[in-house]
Amino acid sequence: MRIAIAGKGGTGKTTIAGTLARLLARSGRQVLAVDADTNPNLSVTLGIPAASARQIVSLPLDLLERRTDPDGATRSVFAADAEAVVRDYAMSGPDGVQLLMMGKVNHSGAG
Amino acid sequence: MCRAHATVRGLIGELVARSNHSRDIVLDMEAGLEHLTRGTARHVTRFLAVLEPYYRSMETARRVVELAKELNVPDVVIVANKVRDTGDRAAIAEFCAAHDMRLGAEIPYDPVLLEAERSGAAPIDYRQESPVVSAVKALAQSLQASAA
């Protein structure tokens, strides 16, 4: 299953996300957790020690390529090997949950 | 489209398109709603909209339901969190009924979480059988039972 957890700040999203990821992993599933919060805290509720969490390298911002379609429209496509990206950037935590961190958001750019 | 969000969206899209489908993905979204309009979560199959028993939080969850529909992710499970008593329960039930929202799980208010946070531990490691962990376990089981 692929689940996104959303809600107002402070509602306990991250507690639920981290605990849910751990429980799914304990039931024998392979779990990839993705912290897409600009104020990332998922490592804590996953139980990854702070010293380890500080070493996580967030997803680089150069994995997308601009492509131009035959009709002249441009779009961004993911141009890297996704499994290799998971291997290179995800940190393994308790119960085997893997954690990826979203790259830094640049609010000033139109992107 | 912010590049960081677009990268997450693109990565999940690639994993879904090319890789092992048995892997679960749990995406912890940014607080609020702006990110939803960026489509970061386009490739997920289900949203959990977490709310607390007060109006602005429930209203945000209602908007999550709307935006999820726009992203063609119609499966939204409402998760009521920090529920203390029957008054909380009634307020949530009333709001959900008024807005055609399906309440999927209820998680009790649990002071143990504060202790866990103070000690820097994950809730599941701090106390395995706390009310919150038990409630999330029930949620995990119901999600697995109803997963396509």
Side-chain angles (χ1 to χ4, degrees), chain A residues 1-24 26-27 29-38 41-42 44-47 59-66 76 78 80 82-83 85-86 94-95 98 100 102-107 110-111, chain B residues 1-8 10-12 14-16 19-32 35-36 38 40-41 43-52 54 56-57 60 64 79 81-82 107 113 120-125 128 132-133 136-137 139-140 143-144 147:
Chain A
M1 66 181 92
R2 302 188 299 278
I3 301 171
I5 303 179
K8 195 164 167 55
T11 48
K13 276 180 314 111
T14 304
T15 296
I16 292 167
T19 306
L20 181 62
R22 289 281 301 273
L23 290 166
L24 290 171
R26 281 186 185 178
S27 70
R29 304 171 75 105
Q30 192 188 346
V31 180
L32 176 65
V34 182
D35 195 341
D37 197 335
T38 44
N41 273 313
L42 185 55
V44 179
T45 62
L46 283 172
L59 287 170
L61 300 178
D62 59 357
L63 302 175
L64 301 171
E65 253 174 35
R66 213 77 176 141
S76 287
F78 194 83
E83 289 297 340
V85 169
V86 173
D95 295 322
Q98 290 187 293
L100 279 176
M102 182 173 73
K104 199 166 159 44
V105 170
N106 178 2
H107 285 292
Chain B
M1 163 66 74
C2 158
R3 186 164 280 268
H5 289 90
T7 299
V8 169
L11 174 67
I12 294 175
E14 280 291 297
L15 289 174
V16 171
S19 305
N20 152 23
H21 280 242
S22 69
R23 176 196 271 136
D24 287 339
I25 296 178
V26 176
L27 180 60
D28 189 23
M29 308 291 287
E30 192 170 343
H35 57 88
L36 287 174
R38 297 186 185 119
T40 316
H43 302 288
V44 306
T45 49
R46 182 180 269 167
F47 268 83
L48 301 188
V50 182
L51 57 76
E52 287 179 74
Y54 70 95
R56 283 192 307 147
S57 162
T60 300
V64 170
V79 179
N81 196 19
K82 306 185 197 176
I107 297 173
L113 284 192
I124 196 171
D125 295 323
Q128 298 266 347
V132 163
V133 173
V136 177
K137 195 176 281 179
L139 170 63
L143 292 173
Q144 290 186 64

